[in-house]
Amino acid sequence: MTQKELKEFLNTKVEVYNHPSFIASDPIQIPHQFSLKEDIEIAGFLAATIAWGNRKSIINNARKMMELMGNTPHDFVMNSTEDDQQDLLPFVHRTFNGEDFIQFIKSLRHIYLNHNGLEAVFAKHASEDSLQESISYFKQIFFEIEHLKRTQKHISDPMKGSAAKRINMFLRWMVRPNNTGVDLGIWKTLSPAQLSCPLDVHSGNVARKLGLLKRKQNDAKALLELDKSLRKFDKEDPVKYDFALFGLGVFEKF
């Protein structure tokens, strides 16, 4: 395919998958349950944090997280007592357990009380076409309070070579406009032009087959390479192609 043909092919796939029907099989359905900004972003952040493994299991466990917080995530983050938080201890999703969950609640409270919330933290070190330094800064702020060392592994750091798939996916949810009813677009201080594609096994394999990515590992260098390829097609909204790459990989076994 020529570059023009490839762009047209991907744009067609974006139209297919950037559609409300996508929500039913995706963890993005969790933040869609809420209307308050802080509830949406906390629900989205927690759902994205556990978004690895079986998709049905991810969605079920993300629902369980919301139930354990009384389906009022922001209120629980800000007002739960230590006794309330003990109810989270039985939770487990793969290597993310109840102790990690409690640590996340404490760190989120710290961010809302002392750093003006999640959006403000991610906006602080944003560059014109990247949020990777913002993600690294976010991890630093998230763990600047006393914390369990084991919990650090659940937040990736692009400055240490990670593609940070789950946080990039969360940022897509928060920043891309809700034009088709999929992404939520509740953060207005950041723009889609700053987003990076959530790079995982599926999107990486499809990107390589299409000649958009040569690097074999799905790491920060691969993400930068893929970003450059996708920005040639649409520099204002490069991450819309996540729908095409992911859909081709997961649903069409491309």
Side-chain angles (χ1 to χ4, degrees), residues 214-231:
K214 288 178 182 168
R215 187 169 173 81
K216 290 183 172 64
Q217 302 100 308
N218 290 327
D219 58 9
K221 288 180 180 176
L223 185 68
L224 183 61
E225 185 186 338
L226 181 59
D227 275 353
K228 284 179 180 173
S229 293
L230 297 179
R231 279 179 166 77

Side-chain angles (χ1 to χ4, degrees), residues 84-192:
D84 295 332
Q85 291 168 16
Q86 292 303 298
D87 293 340
L88 310 183
L89 276 175
F91 180 82
V92 63
H93 176 83
R94 297 176 74 101
T95 63
F96 187 94
N97 67 19
E99 288 187 326
D100 298 317
F101 195 175
I102 292 170
Q103 184 64 60
F104 266 53
I105 298 302
K106 290 175 178 176
S107 290
L108 285 167
R109 181 182 294 182
H110 166 67
I111 281 171
Y112 282 97
L113 284 176
N114 301 300
H115 293 281
N116 297 317
L118 286 167
E119 182 177 2
V121 174
F122 279 105
K124 193 160 187 184
H125 288 275
S127 68
E128 191 181 335
D129 62 356
S130 177
L131 296 178
Q132 301 315 291
E133 277 194 35
S134 301
I135 295 172
S136 184
Y137 173 71
F138 167 75
K139 180 168 186 174
Q140 179 189 323
I141 296 300
F142 199 79
F143 291 116
E144 71 182 1
I145 62 168
E146 188 179 346
H147 63 275
L148 297 171
K149 194 172 181 185
R150 60 156 282 126
T151 306
Q152 290 181 16
K153 68 173 181 265
H154 293 295
I155 295 186
S156 302
D157 186 348
M159 299 301 109
K160 293 190 176 172
S162 172
K165 173 246 177 180
R166 286 168 283 169
I167 296 188
N168 280 310
M169 181 176 71
F170 165 68
L171 292 170
R172 193 203 87 202
W173 295 353
M174 295 300 109
V175 175
R176 281 193 82 246
N178 182 14
N179 293 338
T180 64
V182 181
D183 289 317
L184 293 135
I186 60 168
W187 288 3
K188 307 303 181 187
T189 54
L190 296 168
S191 79

Side-chain angles (χ1 to χ4, degrees), residues 41-71:
E41 60 195 15
I42 291 169
F45 177 67
L46 291 172
T49 295
I50 64 162
W52 85 101
N54 177 277
R55 287 159 69 72
K56 197 175 277 187
S57 173
I58 293 164
I59 293 164
N60 287 340
N61 284 330
R63 280 204 192 109
K64 199 177 290 179
M65 290 176 113
M66 299 306 114
E67 288 164 10
L68 286 166
M69 295 188 291
N71 286 305

Side-chain angles (χ1 to χ4, degrees), residues 13-26:
K13 294 301 178 183
V14 170
E15 285 184 28
V16 171
Y17 294 111
N18 187 13
H19 185 274
S21 59
F22 177 86
I23 294 172
S25 63
D26 195 84

